[in-house]
Amino acid sequence: MLGDFLRTRRARLRPEQIGVPTSGGRRRTPGLRREEVAEQAGVSVEWYTWIEQGRDIHVSSSVLQNIARALRLSADEQLYLAILTTPAALLPDPFPAGGTLESYQQMIEALPYSPAYITNRMMDVVAWNRAADLVFGQLDAVPAGERNFLQLLFLDHDFRQRFDDWDSVAQGTVAGFRITAGRQLDSPKTAQLIATLSQRSQAFRQLWSQHDVQNSCAPQRTMLHPLAGALRFTVLSFQIGGDPDLRCCVHTPADPPTAAALSALLPAPAKPPLLGARP
């Protein structure tokens, strides 16, 4: 996976972008050659080739920084590179201490008109509120083993139809999953999910082959509801519980018509009990 990532980043750059002179003739290699990246990173061609080949060698943080600089990696791509080159034992535990999911569920339920859901490192939807059920289409009716955001996005026609700009959402979701997948390269469950999606969805297969990474979602999203029509949201995605692989995604109505539509379709929330109140 590391070699494929570096090769795709190398292929997207042109020599003139990094100040490498060219003779003007036809180049057989798309983008930069290995020796050009090695020279820019200050390492030998042999050493850089070993890195792309995934050899079992120790690569210092300074060398990784030089490679990232040579390949003009974005902040998200640098994070992904660090994940790919860090032994799994040194990565943080992908799940926080037990007993927290219930409190997260209570948190998002307190947002009655803002669709919100929580996904784990596999992008399984592990918690959601009533507004999310309305906007995304009865998540509770989906069997637990199939309640995976990636699978729903690429394999469920009705779920896919809810997104006005599906192409953009699909690209960002796959790019985000690549970062969490990098933390669990040896997981059979991860390999199985990628294999299933690659086999059943040409769109996923194409996006996965691009090796794009993205650690945040688009700030705006338009959902299509069968009764209310277009619903426009401002989207905020963030890690919770100090867990790098457990994320909450909250959709806040971006205009008065969306807020009015949600309040009309959803029953008024019950008032929560006061803290410390006696029954």
Side-chain angles (χ1 to χ4, degrees), residues 234-252:
T234 298
V235 184
L236 177 64
S237 177
F238 54 92
Q239 297 170 359
I240 57 177
D243 178 359
D245 298 316
L246 198 62
R247 300 189 71 87
C248 181
C249 188
V250 180
H251 298 65
T252 303

Side-chain angles (χ1 to χ4, degrees), residues 2-80:
L2 173 61
D4 290 337
F5 174 65
L6 291 176
R7 281 189 289 273
T8 58
R9 302 309 92 178
R10 178 163 57 85
R12 71 180 180 178
L13 288 174
R14 298 187 302 276
E16 56 268 25
Q17 288 180 271
I18 63 170
V20 174
T22 60
S23 60
R26 184 182 180 88
R27 293 168 61 94
R28 293 189 302 170
T29 303
L32 300 179
R33 299 187 178 103
R34 282 177 175 169
E35 55 266 30
E36 292 168 342
V37 176
E39 181 179 359
Q40 292 289 313
V43 298
S44 69
V45 177
E46 182 181 41
W47 188 254
Y48 179 76
T49 300
W50 286 352
I51 295 173
E52 274 202 7
Q53 291 175 342
R55 297 281 190 95
D56 187 16
I57 57 176
H58 173 72
V59 184
S60 68
S61 59
S62 60
V63 168
L64 288 177
Q65 290 172 3
N66 290 342
I67 292 174
R69 185 164 49 250
L71 292 174
R72 304 297 193 267
L73 298 187
S74 68
D76 288 346
E77 289 169 337
Q78 291 179 49
L79 169 63
Y80 183 60

Side-chain angles (χ1 to χ4, degrees), residues 36 40 47-48 70 79 86 94 106 114 129 152 157 199 218 233 279:
E36 292 168 342
Q40 292 289 313
W47 188 254
Y48 179 76
L79 169 63
T86 301
Q106 293 173 351
S114 294
N129 60 10
L152 291 171
H157 176 76
Q199 181 179 17
F233 297 99

